[in-house]
Amino acid sequence: MTGGALHCEGVPLSRIAEAVGTPAYIYSTATLTRHLGVVQQAFANTPTLVCYSVKACSTLAVLKLFAKGGAGFDIVSVGELERVRRVGGDLRKVVFAGVGKTEDEMVAAIRAGILMFNVESAEELEALDRVGQRLGVQAPFALRVNPDVDAKTHRYIATGLKTSKFGVPVGEAVALYAKSKRMKGLVARGLDCHIGSQLTDTRPVRQAMTLVGDVYKTLRAKGFPLTHLDVGGGLGVTYSTETPPGVADYAKAVLEPLHGLGATLVLEPGRVLVANAGVLLTRVLYRKKTPAKHFVIVDAGMNDLLRPALYEAHHEIAPVVPRKGKRATVDVVGPVCESSDVLGHSRSMSPLAQGDLLAVLTAGAYGMSMSSSYNSRPRPPEVLVDGETFRVVRVRETVTDLMRGETP
Ligand SMILES: *Cc1c(COP(=O)(O)O)cnc(C)c1O
């Protein structure tokens, strides 16, 4: 904020809007770099690999910054693997998660020489063994265990409950490792868990760490050559009134229950690295008053930022150049033909006119990476700011792009 007008680092957001149009995603280099450093620093006294969770924001320019900062990567598809390769990321620092990896994806990741597969079912373990044997290698794996703790987060982003599709029940883990000993295409390298996203409480983290720490010790005692304990990601950020733990408190909650374990830790932060580093810039198209509501219709919709429609997520929305005058309660809505296309419900906003710019805040995580072209709306461009300068790191999609590959 300078002189009341919103900036990203040294650049007024209005200048970026003039240059690239709206809607557009804007990211701050300084914030991205600082966040990675803070996480690395908090774990500096323990052997730790910070693997940025690519799905939070998979834009090449962002991945490149993190690769330069020494991060590894947590991927969930071959598409993400290729993104990491493209930016020169260290493939030996890649972990591969997801309940539905295909054998083709396993082949590609083995050939790439990744650190380990985080395996999520007994049948997947068998598939990885087959692929390993076919390629004549031992594929390194960690079993993702489901610690059955309540992460106290939205049900769509909790992943560690026993009703969740993720991981294997913690009680079945040891037997599966034992079974893996007879599988020639595998080698046990680690143990993995991830209890959910947007965590705002350290208690479930401590609980889960205590549990997986015990399983890790049991497995080591049984002679499995484990070297890595992957503790997942999930640290929350402030979208409105949440008070997530700071990185230092999160680190304590992870490290204390694991004291003396001797494992190299793998962290998979996504949201906490990128959410606050990005905004979605949008312009007011129309205002409309009905007897029930006062709507502000903007040019960004749920196809650009899905989180409010998908998770009932809250994003603060701020005018880029605030006007003086009486505030009004408005619904900020997008142009998409769905009633769920609401970026902000019942927001108290200073006066807005047609053409005014708004910034949807904390939009760096699960923003562009979840965007679609629903309603045949080209996806927005992405801009990376660095100090006083900015560059377009992904151009706006065109209508021609939208129809590529189609035959009428
Ligand atoms: C999505 C995901 C993450 C990252 O979660 P954040 O909440 O963005 O930190 C980490 N690990 C796994 C396995 C995931 O699926």
Side-chain angles (χ1 to χ4, degrees), residues 53 55-56 74 76 97-98 120 144 159 166 192 194 196-198 232-235 268-272 365-366:
S53 187
K55 73 182 193 290
D74 161 37
V76 293
E120 307 219 18
R144 175 169 176 179
T159 59
F166 296 101
D192 171 46
H194 170 70
S197 200
Q198 185 55 12
L235 183 52
E268 302 174 342
R271 188 187 313 273
V272 75
Y366 306 102

Side-chain angles (χ1 to χ4, degrees), residues 82-162:
E82 291 310 314
R83 285 181 172 275
V84 172
R85 197 196 303 273
R86 178 73 186 278
V87 300
D90 187 344
L91 299 175
R92 295 163 307 177
K93 294 186 191 169
V94 166
V95 294
F96 193 166
V99 295
K101 303 172 197 79
T102 65
E103 294 199 9
D104 285 348
E105 287 182 308
M106 292 172 182
V107 169
I110 289 173
R111 292 209 167 116
I114 68 166
L115 175 63
M116 62 187 185
F117 290 86
N118 289 341
V119 169
E120 307 219 18
S121 65
E123 291 191 356
E124 185 194 334
L125 196 65
E126 285 164 12
L128 186 61
D129 174 42
R130 277 197 302 277
V131 172
Q133 293 203 34
R134 207 159 69 221
L135 298 184
V137 300
Q138 288 190 305
F141 78 94
L143 214 53
R144 175 169 176 179
V145 295
N146 183 334
D148 190 22
V149 300
D150 186 354
K152 302 199 167 53
T153 185
H154 189 280
R155 67 186 191 287
Y156 284 5
I157 51 179
T159 59
L161 288 166
K162 63 171 177 278

Side-chain angles (χ1 to χ4, degrees), residues 47-78:
T48 302
L49 181 58
V50 178
C51 290
Y52 167 60
S53 187
V54 173
K55 73 182 193 290
C57 178
S58 39
T59 306
L60 293 177
V62 171
L63 299 182
K64 186 154 184 202
L65 281 180
F66 289 151
K68 275 201 211 149
F73 296 93
D74 161 37
I75 63 165
V76 293
S77 70
V78 151

